Amino acid sequence: MSHVHDGSVGVTGAPGDRGAAERDIFVGRRQELRRLDELFDQALRGSGHLVFVSGESGIGKTALVRTFLAVARQRDPSWTYCRARCAAQYGQGEAYLPFLEALGNLLLGPAREVTARLLKEYAPTWCLQLPAAGVSPESLREQTIGATKERMLREFGDLFEAASVQAPLVGLLEDLQWADLSSMDLLRHLANRVARLRMLLLVTFRPSELEVGQAPIRAAVADLLLQRACEELRLGPLSGEEVASYLDLRFSPNAFPPELLAGLERTEGHPFFVTSLVQYLVDQGHIARRGERFELTHSLSAKDFEAPASVRALVHRKLEALGEEERAALQTASVMGREFLSSVVARVLGGDEIAVEERLRRLERVQRLLYAVGEEELPDGSLATRYRFANALYAEILYDDLLGKRRAALHKRAGDELRKAYAAQAPRVAAQLAVHFERGRDFAGASWALSHAAGNAAALYDNAAAAARYDEAIAFADRLPEAERPTLILPLLRKRGAASMAMTRFGEAEKSFARMLQHARHAGDASLECAALAGLCNALFFSHRIEEMAVCAEEAWRAAERSGSAALQLEAMLLVAQLAQEEGDLADCGTLLEDGLAVAKQLGQKPLMLAATALRGVLHYWHGEYPLAEARLAEAHDLAHELHDGFNLLFTTRFLGLARVNLGRISEALGCFREGIEAARRNADRFWLPTLSSHMGFLHRELQDIPAAIEHDREGLRLAQAHGYGEAESGALLNLAIDYTLAGELDRALEFFEESQAVAPKSWFAWLTELRQLSALAGYWLARGDRRRAAEQASRLLPQARRRGALVYVVASHRLNAECALADGDAAAAAAWLEKARATLGSASAPLEAWRVHAVEGRCRAALGDGAGASAAWGRAAALVQAIAETTDEPALRATFLGSPSVREVLNGAGLA
């Protein structure tokens, strides 16, 4: 970023509505300027501050800031200036709009190259919303997949922190009372970091409008004012001496009688009242230059000072001097807000665009009620000038003067014309369109616009704002005639449910899909009924409400058959397969999923291909078919990237890492888990993060690094308990029980076993939990020396593992039984169990379990007096151990593994120590 500076000193009043001479006038505010100067010095030394400059409209907030900036530039020209401005919007407002506009302006100015570089390096998610950054979205795909609001806040803070290292920063955010909630969150994030930055952050707002505005904004301002690095400069009226100074500076030299200053006292020192009344006196010819000085042209009566008693009256008197066509143009413009486009005003009026443009130009240059912001080429190819009312009060008063029916009609036409002007890009201005259609009582249009506004929020990863907008859109759709509702409300409910799923708010998603289901059935639309049931199934599945999901899945299948859609039938079939995996009915799942994947590819339905491929990969994993699992999961992982499906990206990353651990490819597995954990933390995920942390514990446990395993499993337990995920909590407790068993702390291990069983979910992959518990308990009782209980757990494990086709657990059962037999001194029985273990393994690639089988066989052969057989078995185990170690790029972890007692026994037995 480089310097962006206005350089002018604003008048104490509304900016932009006076001549150049008046804009250079500034009086009063000495104490406030002194304090800003002190805070600027502190910011230059690395102790930043957030300063609220508050006061009502026209009190001089902008003038104070402009004057401070000019003085600061003279003192130290090295600092960078960045300005953002909030604008009145509909509802919650367009997410981050002022900050996006500020960054967009920087990217269009001389600082574009530096700004673009810092954005790409520190805020890639923001780059996607700023085409001017010149960064290909494809190049940022992996960096930004599944990003969330929390990540956008962090990236913006990182961006400004990096910029402040290069040069001190002065940031200005104007009109906070109109901020959207996302921008308020971003301001709070910056406020939490500003104290350690070379940054002075100035924020202006109007207290009265803040009080009647959104409660979250008001509460956030109150909270920020309690922080040490935040303070408020509240501006009041000017004193009589300061008003006199203003007159002397504006009209120099002058010979005004005391009656002029006495008349101005009725303004009570409000800067906008003062400057507006003085300008009115000039316009009416009451003040004029005579010779070398300014004088009153005649004695002023009380009537000449009546206007300041009310701003509305003052503005009305100013407007009375306008012609009918000019007033009509301004009233039409007021419907569009403080800023408006000339061509849209002309279209709403139904007049010639050039004639309307000329009227607006006169209103700017002569009456000074407006000022031109700049020219724009609209998406429909037309050229327009963007104007801004010189003061918001002008727009408000003009708007209030319209009759209710006239106002509604203008809003409807404004919405229609704005939508036409933006053509295919109309969703960009969805928030503005929502205002017009709602106030124009076009509820279908309002619902449409709010739906797109919600989509805009979702594109910024602000799913909470998206959900709120969808709620508003649904409310408007509900006001339509019954026959018109389904067309709008059904897709809205579907999107509302999807937003909730993205936030892992499964209860909210259930409500949206349940209502969608009700409407779809009422409309007799089997396709939409099936889509609603599919969404409802997923919400219930991840809420661990499996019995209810089973009922919905059956209904989805029947609806899909009625629809005749192959895609919907496949989606329903995948729900059945998902349910079957959860219930442990794995026998027929493979054929079902292979058929489904073939159909998905034939239909070209990539979301269904992703679901089928991921489920097939997981099924291979349950069966211990790790090479096949890896291949399918890698394919699904790539599809999730392509579809920008962050939820499934984490799902496939998790299982891909597990497959690679079990294949003995340790560093690749570490890469998967670290990628998943980083993405989950970056995007404030609460669902996958606890499990991913526990998987890191599993990996370290397999490498015999028990302290690290305990650390990761404790973190997984903390996260699971914090977010209330019982399945993840039960798994983390069981992992800790295994960890402490291997560490020899058996009493602590027993405590964790008991806690795990107490919180184990009843209906969420209960079969997998049972297999893990039986295997872990067998190992625990062996460590305790209780061979009877150990054998009992190993024997219970075998039929359960066979029933599920879980090869690794079948092998583990045989191995554990062999260890029990060896502990009893029955080497022959142990050899029989090991023979079964080897036969079950066959040619399967499961090195983590295989090396343990061969290690036990080595001990068994040694007990039988078969030295050659023992050496051969230990040699097979050693080869696997060394292969695993070679895939471990981290020297410390590799050394821990190779130096562990169980591995040393293998290497010694093989003569490799």
Side-chain angles (χ1 to χ4, degrees), residues 12-94:
T12 310
D17 55 352
R18 297 293 182 263
E22 185 175 355
R23 281 200 299 270
D24 292 333
I25 299 173
F26 184 86
V27 296
R29 314 304 187 201
R30 294 180 182 177
Q31 183 176 348
E32 291 84 357
L33 281 173
R34 188 181 304 114
R35 181 55 181 159
L36 287 174
D37 197 53
E38 292 170 356
L39 295 175
F40 180 68
D41 279 339
Q42 294 176 26
L44 292 177
R45 295 194 298 269
S47 179
H49 282 270
L50 167 64
V51 181
F52 286 116
V53 180
S54 65
E56 299 308 325
S57 177
I59 202 67
K61 302 181 292 297
T62 301
L64 172 64
V65 171
R66 284 180 178 171
T67 302
F68 160 68
L69 292 175
V71 173
R73 180 65 69 200
Q74 292 174 358
R75 286 189 50 208
D76 185 344
S78 69
W79 52 270
T80 299
Y81 173 51
C82 185
R83 174 178 176 267
R85 177 180 53 80
C86 304
Q89 300 184 64
Y90 181 86
Q92 295 191 25
E94 199 77 10

Side-chain angles (χ1 to χ4, degrees), residues 70-214:
V71 173
R73 180 65 69 200
Q74 292 174 358
R75 286 189 50 208
D76 185 344
S78 69
W79 52 270
T80 299
Y81 173 51
C82 185
R83 174 178 176 267
R85 177 180 53 80
C86 304
Q89 300 184 64
Y90 181 86
Q92 295 191 25
E94 199 77 10
Y96 310 114
L97 182 60
F99 294 100
L100 287 169
E101 287 183 351
L103 291 175
N105 290 336
L106 287 172
L107 288 167
L108 294 175
R112 57 183 175 272
E113 292 183 3
V114 177
T115 304
R117 177 178 59 79
L118 289 175
L119 274 167
K120 183 176 181 182
E121 184 175 357
Y122 293 97
T125 308
W126 288 81
C127 284
L128 294 179
Q129 316 306 323
L130 295 161
V135 180
S136 167
E138 189 66 18
S139 68
L140 298 174
R141 184 183 68 174
E142 292 192 9
Q143 290 177 264
T144 59
I145 186 73
T148 62
K149 176 180 180 178
E150 289 75 12
R151 176 179 174 185
M152 294 198 72
L153 302 184
R154 177 183 59 77
E155 285 187 356
F156 198 96
D158 291 347
L159 172 69
F160 271 70
E161 187 163 341
S164 72
V165 170
Q166 295 189 6
L169 281 172
V170 176
L172 172 61
L173 176 62
E174 295 183 276
D175 293 325
L176 183 67
Q177 71 275 359
W178 292 326
D180 60 277
L181 297 181
S182 298
S183 294
M184 191 68 234
D185 288 341
L186 181 48
L187 176 63
R188 295 182 69 163
H189 181 78
L190 291 175
N192 290 330
R193 302 173 71 158
V194 72
R196 64 176 186 270
L197 305 181
R198 293 195 299 164
M199 181 176 183
L200 183 60
L201 184 56
L202 307 175
V203 180
T204 70
F205 69 85
R206 303 176 189 175
S208 62
E209 294 191 27
L210 189 69
E211 286 301 316
V212 299
Q214 299 183 75

